[in-house]
Amino acid sequence: QEEIEMWKGRDPIARFRQFLIDEGVLDDVRAAEISQAVKEEVAAAVAFAEASPEPDPAQMEDEVYA
């Protein structure tokens, strides 16, 4: 648990968000709006993926060059 908390403190997204706020480029309201928009976009992508049909295993090696 201690290591998890240490790494949360090193989160580059949270650190950059705080940097932008400290520099006056971003405020808490706009940061919250961006965060909400990202959550909605991710949720939509997850819903799309879950609703999509399973891929055909026969095509697994299509478009693979090696």
Side-chain angles (χ1 to χ4, degrees):
Q1 188 64 32
E2 184 179 315
E3 184 177 2
I4 291 172
E5 292 306 316
M6 179 197 69
W7 284 107
K8 283 183 180 180
R10 293 181 175 185
D11 179 4
I13 295 172
R15 291 176 58 206
F16 189 59
R17 176 185 182 271
Q18 190 59 51
F19 171 79
L20 292 176
I21 290 171
D22 291 345
E23 294 294 314
V25 176
L26 185 66
D27 62 20
D28 287 327
V29 173
R30 182 67 181 131
E33 290 171 352
I34 293 169
S35 180
Q36 183 61 34
V38 169
K39 287 178 184 176
E40 291 171 3
E41 188 171 343
V42 169
V46 169
F48 174 79
E50 289 175 342
S52 296
E54 291 290 324
D56 180 7
Q59 296 177 337
M60 181 172 62
E61 295 181 1
D62 291 357
E63 310 298 327
V64 176
Y65 304 96

